[in-house]
């Protein structure tokens, strides 16, 4: 544990969602110096075929994350959230006393992700195979829905219109902002949270009733 509470920032979302753009804007505003991006590391290792270096880049990120957590430094990672490395890192950060803040950026349909990656390639950017985008879209949302309850501060951003609209914000297990209507991809997060809170309330009711009875004459 650390004498102060460090912060672990996670910028998540499928390829083409625009998470890198948001990360650059946000880290500049908060003045965060340590930012780990496996895609950027893979491009540094092999600019011609970065996808072939994803494993090596992932290992480098894992090593760096462990180092920064041990030192208690604030830092961020960028992830599609399609794999389990980021999930394990979030779990470890929580154990070590970190506050975890996630910005999850998504589009309303995976075809938009594919189109935006194709446009990026036309402009000289790196390509992501369509089959990878489709696979990551499914597993990324699956992990978001399953593990959202672990995040201290979760901000969901719909970037379908290139505006970066915040559609849901959750702080310490409570919804503090919700757009109406919510995009369909964000609904499971809100619904799952409400079910979790209902379950907790039902579990606590017997104790609350007993406490009340203790105060009766």
């Amino acid at each position: 544990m650390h004498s102060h509470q460090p912060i672990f920032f996670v910028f998540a979302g499928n390829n083409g969602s625009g998470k890198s753009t948001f990360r650059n804007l946000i880290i500049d505003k908060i003045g965060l110096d340590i930012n780990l991006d496996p895609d950027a590391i893979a491009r540094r290792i092999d600019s011609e075929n970065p996808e072939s270096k994803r494993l090596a880049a992932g290992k480098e990120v894992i090593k760096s994350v462990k180092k920064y957590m041990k030192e208690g430094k604030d830092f961020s990672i960028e992830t599609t959230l399609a794999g389990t490395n980021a999930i394990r890192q979030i779990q470890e950060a929580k154990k070590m006393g970190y506050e975890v803040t996630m910005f999850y950026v998504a589009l309303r349909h995976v075809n938009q992700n594919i189109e935006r990656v194709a446009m990026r390639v036309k402009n000289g950017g790196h390509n992501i195979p369509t089959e990878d985008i489709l696979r990551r879209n499914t597993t990324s949302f699956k992990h978001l829905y399953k593990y959202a309850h672990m995040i201290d501060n979760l901000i969901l951003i719909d970037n379908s219109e290139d505006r970066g609209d915040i559609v849901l914000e959750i702080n310490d297990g409570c919804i503090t902002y919700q757009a109406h209507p919510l995009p369909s991809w964000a609904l499971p997060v809100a619904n799952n949270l409400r079910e979790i809170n209902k379950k907790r309330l039902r579990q606590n009711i017997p104790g609350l009733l007993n406490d009340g009875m203790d105060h009766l004459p």
Side-chain angles (χ1 to χ4, degrees), residues 205-217:
I205 283 176
L208 292 172
L209 290 175
N210 290 335
D211 287 344
M213 293 293 289
D214 290 341
H215 291 88
L216 291 176

Side-chain angles (χ1 to χ4, degrees), residues 24-134:
N24 292 335
L25 290 171
I26 292 169
I27 64 174
D28 183 58
K29 287 186 177 181
I30 63 179
L32 193 63
D33 296 324
I34 305 172
N35 305 284
L36 305 173
D37 178 1
D39 287 343
I41 294 171
R43 291 194 297 272
R44 187 194 71 207
I45 298 172
D46 187 348
S47 59
E48 296 296 323
N49 188 18
E51 282 295 298
S52 67
K53 302 300 179 182
R54 284 188 60 82
L55 182 60
K59 288 181 178 178
E60 186 171 328
V61 169
I62 290 171
K63 183 178 179 180
S64 297
V65 166
K66 289 181 179 179
K67 175 179 180 291
Y68 295 134
M69 283 189 187
K70 186 176 180 180
E71 295 171 352
K73 292 185 176 180
D74 295 347
F75 68 99
S76 79
I77 63 166
E78 184 172 332
T79 174
T80 61
L81 210 64
T84 56
N85 281 338
I87 302 300
R88 287 194 293 268
Q89 289 160 358
I90 290 169
Q91 291 170 332
E92 185 62 24
K94 297 283 287 182
K95 290 178 184 176
M96 297 186 69
Y98 270 78
E99 177 181 330
V100 179
T101 295
M102 176 184 287
F103 296 87
Y104 190 97
V105 186
L107 308 178
R108 291 176 187 265
H109 198 283
V110 68
N111 285 345
Q112 291 180 286
N113 297 80
I114 295 169
E115 291 168 0
R116 291 188 185 185
V117 168
M119 183 62 66
R120 183 173 69 194
V121 172
K122 286 184 180 180
N123 292 328
H126 63 287
N127 185 40
I128 304 292
T130 296
E131 58 268 26
D132 288 347
I133 297 174
L134 291 170

